[in-house]
Amino acid sequence: MILQANNISCRRGERLLFSNLNFHIQSGELMLIEGRNGCGKTTLLRTLAMLRQPDEGQITWNDEPIDKLAEEYRQHLVWMGHHNALKGDLTAIENLRVATCLNNINCSEDELWTALETIGLYGYEDLPTRVLSQGQKRRAALAFLLLSQSKLWVLDEPFSALDVKAVDFLQSIIRKHIEKDGMVILTTHQEVALMSDKIKRVQLDAL
């Protein structure tokens, strides 16, 4: 499988963020989007996740435009933005149950609880997520990755609010996904030991 950007340009209001951007990523690869604050990293990721349209150019999935594939493309996609997309009045286990249901992931209750325990939320699974710390909320959101069956992960600052142990664990999750021929596109401001032999870099500042 291959995701390809063909001469895409994006604006924020009247400001041109980047133009004529070309890249591709295929199974078993990781892509790091780099650049200063405000250069359009989040805008690019949201465009790849079909949350907005490019102002110019086209994005294809296996040579088919993603806007025409629509739901077929979304079935292969996991998007995780700055916000954790958790319902504060729901518990971590309830949020995870809803997320897997909405994404048509068949898993048992034991698998849900195990995912939260594995991600480091043992003892906090049945608390409303609004009372959790920022790091715990991030873990609750990231637990979905342990159950996801999607090929392409698009992650905006996934290491945000995580402690060193959690950062290391998330890196291992990403590494395993890549080793299973998954695809990951992410941004991060943190120094992390990503897979140097599998990584591609897109530097938006240079565009």
Side-chain angles (χ1 to χ4, degrees):
M1 292 186 175
I2 183 168
L3 178 72
Q4 189 161 348
N6 303 293
N7 296 311
I8 65 170
S9 301
C10 287
R11 298 177 179 273
R12 183 184 296 132
E14 296 299 317
R15 181 188 173 203
L16 179 65
L17 296 173
F18 53 82
S19 63
N20 300 317
L21 178 60
N22 294 277
F23 65 78
H24 72 273
I25 180 173
Q26 57 192 18
S27 300
E29 292 183 338
L30 183 152
M31 178 171 288
L32 179 62
I33 309 298
E34 299 178 303
R36 67 186 186 283
N37 289 341
C39 70
K41 299 188 298 293
T42 293
T43 298
L44 174 57
L45 294 191
R46 287 176 57 83
T47 303
L48 296 175
M50 287 191 69
L51 297 175
R52 71 182 307 281
Q53 293 290 323
D55 292 284
E56 296 177 13
Q58 189 177 68
I59 300 167
T60 60
W61 176 255
N62 293 331
D63 296 324
E64 293 290 333
I66 62 172
D67 57 336
K68 292 184 178 180
L69 290 172
E71 286 304 317
E72 182 181 343
Y73 171 66
R74 291 189 180 98
Q75 290 175 4
H76 296 282
L77 171 72
V78 168
W79 156 254
M80 187 168 295
H82 281 294
H83 301 293
N84 294 314
L86 300 172
K87 297 293 185 181
D89 290 334
L90 298 183
T91 66
I93 190 69
E94 288 170 339
N95 271 286
L96 187 56
R97 193 178 293 133
V98 169
T100 53
C101 181
L102 290 175
N103 287 275
N104 297 314
I105 298 174
N106 295 317
C107 54
S108 67
E109 279 293 302
D110 284 345
E111 289 173 315
L112 295 175
W113 287 91
T114 297
L116 290 172
E117 180 178 355
T118 302
I119 206 71
L121 281 181
Y122 179 75
Y124 298 91
E125 304 98 330
D126 56 357
L127 291 176
T129 54
R130 57 181 165 75
V131 307
L132 300 181
S133 70
Q134 288 303 312
Q136 289 170 330
K137 290 176 182 176
R138 198 59 170 169
R139 287 172 185 255
L142 290 167
F144 179 73
L145 295 179
L146 297 175
L147 301 170
S148 171
Q149 301 165 358
S150 298
K151 188 79 169 179
L152 172 63
W153 295 358
V154 179
L155 312 176
D156 194 2
E157 295 291 341
F159 302 101
S160 176
L162 297 180
D163 57 26
V164 173
K165 184 177 180 180
V167 167
D168 289 343
F169 182 66
L170 177 54
Q171 288 180 84
S172 73
I173 295 174
I174 291 173
R175 186 176 301 111
K176 289 177 182 177
H177 184 62
I178 296 298
E179 289 172 348
K180 293 179 180 179
D181 282 336
M183 307 156 71
V184 178
I185 302 175
L186 62 81
T187 64
T188 180
H189 284 101
Q190 296 179 239
E191 292 294 329
V192 291
L194 296 169
M195 305 169 68
S196 60
D197 60 327
K198 298 288 186 179
I199 194 169
K200 291 184 172 182
R201 297 175 184 269
V202 174
Q203 179 63 251
L204 294 187
D205 288 348
L207 299 175

